[in-house]
Amino acid sequence: MHTPFASAPAPSVPSVRTFTALLLALAVGVLPAPKETHAQQRSGVALSVQASTMGPGIGVHMRATEALRIQIRGAYLARGIERPLDDNEVDARVNADIRVGGPEARLNWHPFTSSFSAFYVSAGALYNVTGTDARIYPTSPYKLNENKTFTVEKVGEMNVEASYSPISPYAGIGFGDALNGQWGFMVELGAYYTGSPNFSFDGEGLIKPTERNEAVLEQGFKSFRVLPHLAVGLSYQL
């Protein structure tokens, strides 16, 4: 017989596994997601523009480790010069094309992790295209004495080419890290070991005998083996 005081069925008690799952879901919804690390927030690749003694240049910077950066850069500057030759005996002009620069690869080491972390030591090698092509030619006849005058064609002209060894090692120091932020500034000071320049002469007319002076000129430039380098630049990390 059904009585009005019959008790209702008791609610089921959740199992321990269900209760644990509810707590984990609540924790995931409340706790903040872990922050990205310093390296994850940035791409590790940056581009740069520079002004240097090698001319204007561009570069690519890549992270090798937390302390090492790989830098691929290139700079180039060409200039033409045409002016009278400083000679009291012959009226002549020199027309020269001068070029400096080339592509290079470097490894930059940041030895510190403190506030001086932007300081780095750099080593690398340049494919050196630095050189000069010059043409020297008379602009008026050459008067040897009152009875002897040589025409411009007789005097002739001379071509001079100066070049360096194609590979020039580099060493230097700098301040700035293209991979430590979106925008960066850098300055560096160093030197390339270029070796002494090589000269090549090609003359015609009365100037032709001066070709023998190649060895004399190379001897005079033997002490010019190091090319100083100074550069400032801006970088942007992708």
Side-chain angles (χ1 to χ4, degrees):
M1 177 177 179
H2 179 72
T3 62
F5 300 101
S7 59
S12 61
V13 179
S15 65
V16 174
R17 182 179 299 176
T18 304
F19 185 70
T20 303
L22 290 172
L23 287 178
L24 289 176
L26 180 62
V28 171
V30 173
L31 295 177
K35 294 183 179 180
E36 292 181 325
T37 63
H38 182 80
Q40 290 173 332
Q41 292 175 345
R42 302 180 179 124
S43 67
V45 177
L47 304 178
S48 67
V49 292
Q50 295 184 1
S52 71
T53 51
M54 281 289 189
I58 57 175
V60 178
H61 308 254
M62 295 169 285
R63 187 191 308 276
T65 67
E66 285 298 317
L68 293 177
R69 310 286 185 262
I70 299 172
Q71 181 182 4
I72 307 297
R73 69 184 296 270
Y76 185 77
L77 179 65
R79 181 185 178 189
I81 296 177
E82 185 172 3
R83 64 178 181 84
L85 184 66
D86 295 331
D87 194 313
N88 295 328
E89 297 182 1
V90 181
D91 293 329
R93 295 185 69 84
V94 56
N95 188 347
D97 293 322
I98 303 173
R99 59 191 180 277
V100 295
E104 63 181 295
R106 295 185 192 173
L107 190 63
N108 299 337
W109 175 48
H110 294 257
F112 306 117
T113 56
S114 63
S115 57
F116 294 100
S117 61
F119 172 82
Y120 64 88
V121 179
S122 183
L126 165 74
Y127 184 80
N128 198 355
V129 300
T130 301
T132 301
D133 296 320
R135 173 175 169 256
I136 302 172
Y137 58 95
T139 57
S140 63
Y142 172 57
K143 187 174 182 180
L144 181 62
N145 51 49
E146 295 182 358
N147 301 320
K148 190 66 173 177
T149 300
F150 297 97
T151 64
V152 170
E153 292 74 18
K154 188 67 175 178
V155 174
E157 64 180 38
M158 181 171 58
N159 296 311
V160 182
E161 180 181 348
S163 60
Y164 291 89
S165 174
I167 303 299
S168 299
Y170 172 82
I173 58 175
F175 194 85
D177 187 356
L179 302 177
N180 188 25
Q182 188 174 25
W183 291 93
F185 172 79
M186 65 188 70
V187 58
E188 58 188 31
L189 177 65
Y192 298 94
Y193 180 79
T194 61
S196 56
N198 302 311
F199 292 93
S200 175
F201 289 77
D202 181 20
E204 60 181 23
L206 295 177
I207 298 181
K208 188 174 181 61
T210 58
E211 292 182 24
R212 71 172 71 102
N213 292 332
E214 288 182 25
V216 175
L217 198 56
E218 288 180 357
Q219 184 67 28
F221 277 84
K222 265 196 171 181
S223 59
F224 295 89
R225 300 185 177 205
V226 176
L227 182 63
H229 174 70
L230 174 65
V232 294
L234 293 173
S235 63
Y236 176 79
Q237 186 169 190
L238 302 176

